Amino acid sequence: MWVYHLAICLVFYRYIIIYGGDSWRYWNIPLIGEGTSYHWLNYFGTGTYFMYWINYPLSQIAGLGYLSGTLLYGSLSYIGFLLAFDLLNSTFAKSTKKYIPHVALLILFLPNVHFWTAGVGKEAMLWLGLMLVLLGVQQFPNKIIFIGIGLLLTLMVRPIQGLVLTISALMVLPFHKTLIPYRKKIIPIAIFLIFSIFAYRFILGSLVYGFNLKWIGDILEWQNQYLASFGGASSINMNDYNWVEKFSTILFRPFIWEVKDFWTFAAGVENIFILAFSILGFWSLYQLKFQFKIPLYLWTVLVYGILLSFLFSLTLNNLGIIMRMKSIYFPFFSIIALHLYYEVAKVKLEK
C-alpha cells in the first residue's frame, strides 16, 4: 500500500504543478515583512491559517521544497491508512468467507481518497483526524485520547467538519457497551452538548449577520454563487435539483457517461464501484430484515458522512470539489455495505 500511495503522491505533485491549486498556496506562503518567528505566530488560527502555521517552519524557515512537502503530507496520510487497515482487520478477521477481508482491503485502494490525501492539503489531516477518532471509538475507553487528538486536529483544519465529527461521536459513544450503566446520565449530557454546538454556530453567525435565520440562507446562496463564479468545467446547477438529484450527485456523480478527460474517467469508474457496493448494502439490509448491525466506529463515520453529504448538497456545486470533499469518509460507505453482507453470511452459516 505504501508503494501505491507513494506513486499517487507523485501523481498529485505533478497534477498541482500543471493545474495549480490550494495545495501550492498552503506550502508556498509569502513572507510578510521581517521577523520570522513573529509572523509565524501571527499565522496561527483555524482553517487555511492553521495550514499556513503548520507549514511555515517547514517551507519558509527550513526551506523545504513543494515535493518534500508532498512526501511529508503523503506520509502523514499513510499513517491514516495504517489505522484504517487495523480497523478493518479487527472487523473482518474472523470472517468465515476468506475473500471478505481481501475485499475490505481493496476498498482502501480506491484512488480518490489516496489522491486527495496524497499531498499538501487539508484532506490529509482530515483523513488522519477521522481515523484517530474511529480508532478511539473502536477501542474506547483505552484509546479515548485518540478521539480528543482527532477531533482537535479536524476542528483546527476545517472547523465545520470538526463540529460535525464531534456531533457524530457524541451521538454514538453513549451506546458503547462500557457506558451502558451510565447511559441515563450520558445521553442527556450528549444531547446538551450537541445542542450547544448548534447554538454556538448560530450565535457566532448572528453576531455578524443579525439574530435571524435569513443569514443562513444568504450564506448558502453566496457560497453557491462564489463557486459558480469560477466557471469550472465540472460546475453543476445544484439549486435547480430536487433532494433526490442532490444526494445522487453527492453520492454517485460524475457518472461514467459524463467523462470528459482522464480525471473524470477515473472518478466515474470509482463511482461505478461505489454504486455496486450500495446495491450490495441495500440487498444485505433487506436480507437482514433491516437490522442495521455494524460496529460503533462505522456508526460514527456513517453519521458523519450523512451529515456532511447533506451539508455539501446545500453548499457545493462543482463535481471536482465534491469528489475532494467526500473523499475522506466515502470509502467507509462501501465498507459498511460489505459489513452488512458479512452479517448476512454469518446468519446463513448459523442456519
Side-chain angles (χ1 to χ4, degrees):
M1 184 180 287
W2 168 240
V3 174
Y4 176 74
H5 191 62
L6 178 62
I8 295 184
C9 283
L10 298 178
V11 172
F12 181 90
Y13 169 79
R14 186 62 179 169
Y15 177 89
I16 295 297
I17 293 297
I18 295 174
Y19 298 102
D22 290 339
S23 177
W24 181 264
R25 175 169 55 91
Y26 292 150
W27 191 258
N28 294 284
I29 310 163
L31 286 169
I32 305 173
E34 299 179 358
T36 304
S37 61
Y38 169 76
H39 288 290
W40 174 57
L41 294 175
N42 271 1
Y43 278 120
F44 184 77
T46 60
T48 298
Y49 289 105
F50 182 73
M51 298 298 296
Y52 290 159
W53 183 76
I54 285 289
N55 295 334
Y56 196 101
L58 299 170
S59 65
Q60 302 303 318
I61 299 177
L64 297 179
Y66 181 69
L67 177 59
S68 298
T70 301
L71 296 176
L72 283 171
Y73 270 76
S75 301
L76 190 69
S77 59
Y78 180 67
I79 296 173
F81 283 99
L82 292 178
L83 297 179
F85 177 81
D86 285 344
L87 285 168
L88 297 186
N89 187 51
S90 65
T91 302
F92 296 106
K94 296 180 181 179
S95 173
T96 55
K97 294 184 178 295
K98 295 183 178 180
Y99 64 86
I100 290 182
H102 298 303
V103 174
L105 180 60
L106 285 175
I107 292 173
L108 287 184
F109 279 85
L110 290 174
N112 191 48
V113 61
H114 282 274
F115 180 80
W116 290 114
T117 63
V120 179
K122 295 179 180 179
E123 273 63 39
M125 292 190 179
L126 292 172
W127 169 253
L128 178 59
L130 177 60
M131 293 307 104
L132 288 170
V133 171
L134 296 185
L135 189 64
V137 171
Q138 173 71 354
Q139 301 186 22
F140 182 87
N142 295 334
K143 294 189 177 179
I144 189 174
I145 186 65
F146 282 20
I147 299 177
I149 295 172
L151 290 178
L152 179 61
L153 181 61
T154 306
L155 283 163
M156 294 303 295
V157 173
R158 191 171 285 151
I160 188 63
Q161 287 189 220
L163 292 175
V164 172
L165 185 54
T166 303
I167 290 171
S168 304
L170 288 171
M171 291 178 66
V172 169
L173 274 178
F175 298 94
H176 195 279
K177 60 183 180 181
T178 61
L179 298 177
I180 291 177
Y182 317 102
R183 191 166 294 172
K184 290 183 179 180
K185 294 181 180 179
I186 291 177
I187 290 179
I189 293 174
I191 293 173
F192 172 76
L193 291 174
I194 292 171
F195 174 79
S196 298
I197 290 173
F198 283 108
Y200 161 75
R201 289 299 301 174
F202 176 74
I203 293 172
L204 196 65
S206 296
L207 290 173
V208 178
Y209 302 105
F211 283 86
N212 55 67
L213 296 177
K214 183 177 179 295
W215 64 265
I216 300 176
D218 291 341
I219 287 181
L220 294 177
E221 179 64 24
W222 175 87
Q223 172 77 8
N224 278 279
Q225 291 180 358
Y226 174 73
L227 292 176
S229 68
F230 290 100
S234 59
S235 293
I236 50 177
N237 192 2
M238 289 281 274
N239 287 333
D240 292 342
Y241 290 176
N242 58 43
W243 282 107
V244 174
E245 292 171 323
K246 285 178 184 287
F247 276 107
S248 63
T249 296
I250 296 295
L251 298 177
F252 304 120
R253 290 182 67 185
F255 298 123
I256 195 65
W257 56 83
E258 296 178 301
V259 166
K260 297 179 180 179
D261 52 27
F262 169 78
W263 305 106
T264 53
F265 172 76
V269 170
E270 180 166 331
N271 283 336
I272 290 176
F273 284 97
I274 299 298
L275 179 59
F277 274 107
S278 299
I279 294 172
L280 175 68
F282 282 114
W283 176 84
S284 301
L285 195 58
Y286 174 76
Q287 293 295 313
L288 293 169
K289 298 180 180 179
F290 297 96
Q291 297 179 29
F292 214 88
K293 299 179 180 180
I294 58 175
L296 278 186
Y297 82 89
L298 288 181
W299 269 110
T300 304
V301 74
L302 176 63
V303 175
Y304 180 62
I306 290 174
L307 292 176
L308 282 184
S309 295
F310 174 75
L311 184 63
F312 293 160
S313 69
L314 295 174
T315 58
L316 301 181
N317 56 13
N318 182 287
L319 292 178
I321 296 176
I322 288 172
M323 289 297 292
R324 173 167 61 89
M325 298 289 277
K326 74 179 184 180
S327 63
I328 63 164
Y329 66 83
F330 218 61
F332 283 93
F333 280 13
S334 296
I335 290 168
I336 290 169
L338 184 64
H339 191 277
L340 292 173
Y341 175 74
Y342 167 62
E343 290 294 330
V344 170
K346 282 173 46 177
V347 170
K348 289 184 177 180
L349 181 65
E350 290 170 359
K351 290 182 178 179

